[in-house]
Amino acid sequence: FVSEGLTKSGCPRIRKGLCPKPRARNALHLKRNLLKLVLGLAIGVFFVFGRELLIGWMAPDSELHLRLAAPLLIVCALAQPFFATCIILKTSMRGAGATHIVMRWSFGSMIFYRVIVLWAMGHFGVATLTRVWMVLSLDLFTQALIFARLHFRGKWLDARV
């Protein structure tokens, strides 16, 4: 992505796999991975500690938005790694022909959390915006665990297309 473009643009021979020095190639890969790590952590820290500033840019002088959105940014920041895991694992499994397995587990989790749990929260009067987002994040967390387990067990590779 951005960090790959920055690091690979400096050495076209590495991009083509023609770099004669493995140490240089390994050093470049290390720098690229460190850049990704630092950039990801910086964005995450900004979303957690600079959320008032971020909300102020989008909704200036709105106390309501600040009160409602500030806790949601924390929930979203915590859910992002699980969301990314779901995207990668589900897409790779669908691409290999295991769409039936992906849909069955995805819909099962979504029906439980997004229909049953949210209905119960609304029925018993405990549904706030932050709690709804926490349930949706719990759904992503559960799906990430399910698909990590399915993916690394490897039985989905036997799916017939």
Side-chain angles (χ1 to χ4, degrees), residues 1-159:
F1 308 13
V2 173
S3 61
E4 289 179 33
L6 291 173
T7 56
K8 286 184 179 179
S9 64
C11 182
R13 296 183 76 199
I14 289 177
R15 183 176 54 235
K16 295 177 184 175
L18 301 173
C19 188
K21 298 180 181 178
R23 289 178 133 180
R25 185 179 62 234
N26 291 341
L28 189 62
H29 288 299
L30 178 64
K31 287 179 186 177
R32 182 181 66 210
N33 289 336
L34 285 175
L35 180 62
K36 287 179 187 178
L37 179 67
V38 168
L39 187 60
L41 286 174
I43 291 171
V45 167
F46 177 70
F47 266 71
V48 171
F49 295 110
R51 62 187 184 270
E52 288 87 8
L53 179 64
L54 185 62
I55 295 166
W57 286 340
M58 292 186 273
D61 302 324
S62 175
E63 186 63 35
L64 174 67
H65 285 94
L66 184 62
R67 184 175 48 82
L68 290 175
L72 296 180
L73 283 176
I74 300 267
V75 173
C76 289
L78 294 174
Q80 284 304 310
F82 305 109
F83 184 48
T85 301
C86 285
I87 290 171
I88 292 168
L89 295 178
K90 288 163 72 170
T91 303
S92 68
M93 291 173 73
R94 276 191 209 124
T99 304
H100 178 69
I101 296 169
V102 171
M103 290 300 149
R104 184 176 60 218
W105 285 101
S106 293
F107 287 142
S109 178
M110 284 189 266
I111 287 170
F112 176 72
Y113 285 107
R114 298 177 186 208
V115 176
I116 296 171
V117 172
L118 288 179
W119 174 84
M121 285 175 63
H123 182 71
F124 294 110
V126 293
T128 64
L129 187 58
T130 304
R131 289 180 182 164
V132 168
W133 276 72
M134 290 171 80
V135 169
L136 298 177
S137 298
L138 190 58
D139 176 31
L140 291 175
F141 175 75
T142 303
Q143 285 191 43
L145 289 179
I146 289 169
F147 287 109
R149 183 172 182 261
L150 289 172
H151 191 272
F152 292 113
R153 280 181 55 204
K155 290 187 179 183
W156 62 275
L157 293 170
D158 298 330

